Amino acid sequence: MSQVIYLDYQASTPTDPRVLQQMLPWFSVDFANPHAIDHQPGQRANQAVEQARQQVAALIGAEPREIIFTSGATESNNLAILGGMRFLHPQKNHLITVATEHKCVLESAKQLEKEGIEVTFLPVQRDGLLDLALLEKSFRPTTGMVSVMMVNNEIGVIQPVEQIGQLCHQHGILYHCDAAQAAGKITINVQRIQAALLSISGHKLYGPKGIGALYVRHRPRVRLQPLFYGGGQERGFRSGTLPTPLCVGLGAACAIAVQDMAKDVAFVQKLQKKLWEGLHNLFPDIRLNGHDQHRYPGNLNICFPSRVGQKLLQQLPGLAISSGSACSSSDIEPSYVLRAIGLDKDLAQTALRISFGRFSTEMDVDKTIAYFQQTLK
Ligand SMILES: *Cc1c(COP(=O)(O)O)cnc(C)c1O
């Protein structure tokens, strides 16, 4: 049996070998605590972490002191939303977010509801994009924060983040952006989108798992209540010893992204076109989910009418693709994102999310099309 073709880059990307190389010494030779700056090994680790902080900052147009290392985008989103709203409460007791956000954003919002904060979960349009007029209408004098992601992890659509940031700025509302799927893939500038808070994940941009970052704007200063307490690292926002190898890995991944982004984008665009055309030739009734222009080209989320995505996948064991559905007990739950863009339960269950990136190949695409042809024709 040949190797499985990996087309699930939005679930996780492989760590770039160049990243891994830079991480390795910090596990073994240079293992010192990066906060133990009384001695040279500690200072070396500290410098490595600070260089990584600069590299992360450079990717998004931030200052190094505005970058807080976390364990991943889940923690970054929790810290931004829970920490930000808990700090603002009770002066501001209203949060706005969107139905198609990642679970970690939606669940953070639901936790805040239990703490007495009001949350508006806005719907999206059929193309997956937020209606800006609806957003503005939902603003209240008590609105403290708006949380809207940049690139959607299921359908790949890119939200109008500059306009969202602009509206929030005009109304004195903090804008938090979950950029886990965007960082390293499309250009991000925190000034231009007027973000107060922005989340990044290492393993979505060819870095290691278990590391992420939260951008916390310095001017005007954004304040957060920490999620947990300890040695006061990361300017008190996030206590705990920083994992030097993972920080170095995230920094390296960001530096490579700055360098390779244009090339990566052109490449995934080419693969996307080839894959879509190949599948569309085989199955003329397939439909693309999400806006066909405002989208990240490394994603194709496709409905195969009259087929069930998960069953389809069972027939395609040679492909690592996501069905876009979550299994809860014995039931197949159709994706809440697809339901939110207006797909009925049955159609949503025919969807597959195919995602690819830097280490995908044209051969992967050719083989994928051939698999579909063999299995389904
Ligand atoms: C993967 C992902 C997360 C969670 O990131 P982790 O680093 O795995 O915790 C959050 N938001 C989006 C949009 C994601 O794609």
Coordinates of all heavy atoms in Angstrom, one line a residue, residues 78 169 263 353 360 372:
N78 N -8.7 32.0 24.6 CA -9.3 32.0 26.0 C -8.7 33.2 26.7 O -9.5 33.9 27.4 CB -8.9 30.7 26.8 CG -9.9 29.6 26.5 OD1 -10.8 29.4 27.4 ND2 -9.8 28.9 25.4
H169 N -12.9 50.3 16.2 CA -12.1 51.5 16.6 C -13.0 52.7 16.8 O -12.9 53.4 17.8 CB -11.0 51.7 15.5 CG -10.2 52.9 15.8 ND1 -9.2 53.0 16.8 CD2 -10.2 54.1 15.2 CE1 -8.7 54.2 16.8 NE2 -9.2 54.9 15.8
K263 N 5.6 32.8 -2.4 CA 5.8 31.6 -3.1 C 4.8 30.5 -2.7 O 4.2 29.8 -3.5 CB 7.2 31.1 -2.8 CG 7.7 30.0 -3.6 CD 9.2 29.7 -3.3 CE 9.3 28.8 -2.1 NZ 10.7 28.7 -1.5
R353 N -13.7 18.6 3.7 CA -12.7 19.7 3.7 C -11.3 19.2 3.3 O -10.8 18.3 3.9 CB -12.6 20.3 5.1 CG -11.5 21.4 5.1 CD -11.2 21.9 6.5 NE -10.5 20.9 7.3 CZ -10.0 21.2 8.6 NH1 -10.3 22.3 9.2 NH2 -9.4 20.2 9.2
S360 N 2.7 20.0 0.1 CA 1.9 19.2 -0.8 C 2.5 19.2 -2.2 O 3.4 20.0 -2.4 CB 0.5 19.9 -0.9 OG -0.1 20.0 0.4
F372 N -10.5 9.5 -6.2 CA -11.9 9.8 -6.3 C -12.5 9.1 -7.5 O -13.6 8.5 -7.4 CB -12.1 11.3 -6.4 CG -12.2 12.0 -5.0 CD1 -11.1 12.5 -4.4 CD2 -13.4 12.1 -4.4 CE1 -11.2 13.1 -3.2 CE2 -13.6 12.7 -3.2 CZ -12.4 13.2 -2.6

